[in-house]
């Protein structure tokens, strides 16, 4: 079960952004502190049962992500004309720029019942981490990840 308000209350507005550290490329540290990454990981796990790795040089998921997933799910439930599709589309949702956390597909599958998601990214290291996050949440069969070239965006 996903507890939207519990996650929002625990994380608070801008919590990850409040913990932004200076990029120090010599030491390999990214824009998110270890504390912010761990706090986000722990809260996603406690409030939604989601386990994600949040690399130090990637974006930290924020509370508004679940509200967006719920909005997309509402759009998917709107009636469509029977003549639009001759057959059911291969994917329900496409996430362009899935990033390393793969948070939208994971939240959508876990909290909104998405079963056929396509996620793409141009960064192979982000896709590798996204795949690990899908495995950690037993969602590899629900989310298909593809790498696209920068010019294919």
């Amino acid at each position: 079960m996903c507890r939207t308000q519990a996650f929002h209350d625990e994380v608070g507005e801008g919590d990850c952004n409040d913990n932004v550290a200076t990029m120090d490329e010599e030491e390999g540290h990214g824009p998110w502190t270890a504390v912010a990454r761990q706090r986000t990981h722990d809260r996603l796990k406690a409030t939604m049962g989601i386990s994600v790795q949040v690399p130090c040089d990637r974006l930290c998921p924020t509370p508004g992500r679940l509200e967006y997933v719920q909005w997309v799910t509402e759009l998917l439930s709107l009636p469509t004309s029977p003549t639009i599709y001759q057959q059911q589309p291969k994917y329900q949702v496409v996430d362009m720029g899935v990033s390393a956390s793969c948070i939208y597909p994971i939240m959508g599958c876990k909290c909104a019942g998405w079963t056929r998601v396509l996620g793409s990214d141009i960064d192979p290291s982000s896709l590798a981490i996204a795949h690990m996050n899908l495995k950690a949440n037993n969602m590899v069969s629900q989310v298909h990840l593809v790498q696209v070239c920068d010019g294919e965006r």
Side-chain angles (χ1 to χ4, degrees), residues 62-120:
T62 58
R65 306 292 176 154
L66 186 57
E67 285 80 6
Y68 182 77
V69 165
Q70 291 168 334
W71 178 73
V72 169
T73 301
E74 286 177 28
L75 289 176
L76 291 172
S77 69
L78 293 175
T80 60
S81 168
T83 59
I84 290 178
Y85 302 113
Q86 296 299 321
Q87 61 185 26
Q88 188 174 28
K90 186 172 181 176
Y91 298 105
Q92 293 169 295
V93 178
V94 176
D95 183 0
M96 297 184 297
V98 73
S99 191
S101 68
C102 199
I103 197 65
Y104 286 124
I106 291 172
M107 281 186 173
C109 292
K110 179 79 173 183
C111 303
W114 298 354
T115 57
R116 298 179 328 274
V117 181
L118 175 64
S120 69

Side-chain angles (χ1 to χ4, degrees), residues 20-81:
V20 172
T22 304
M23 178 72 92
D24 185 349
E25 293 185 22
E26 289 182 357
E27 293 184 28
H29 298 290
W32 304 107
T33 66
V35 172
R37 289 190 318 271
Q38 188 61 48
R39 188 178 311 140
T40 298
H41 176 272
D42 294 347
R43 288 179 179 144
L44 284 169
K45 186 71 169 170
T47 61
M48 297 182 201
I50 292 173
S51 177
V52 294
Q53 295 297 316
V54 183
C56 64
D57 62 343
R58 306 290 189 233
L59 293 175
C60 181
T62 58
R65 306 292 176 154
L66 186 57
E67 285 80 6
Y68 182 77
V69 165
Q70 291 168 334
W71 178 73
V72 169
T73 301
E74 286 177 28
L75 289 176
L76 291 172
S77 69
L78 293 175
T80 60
S81 168

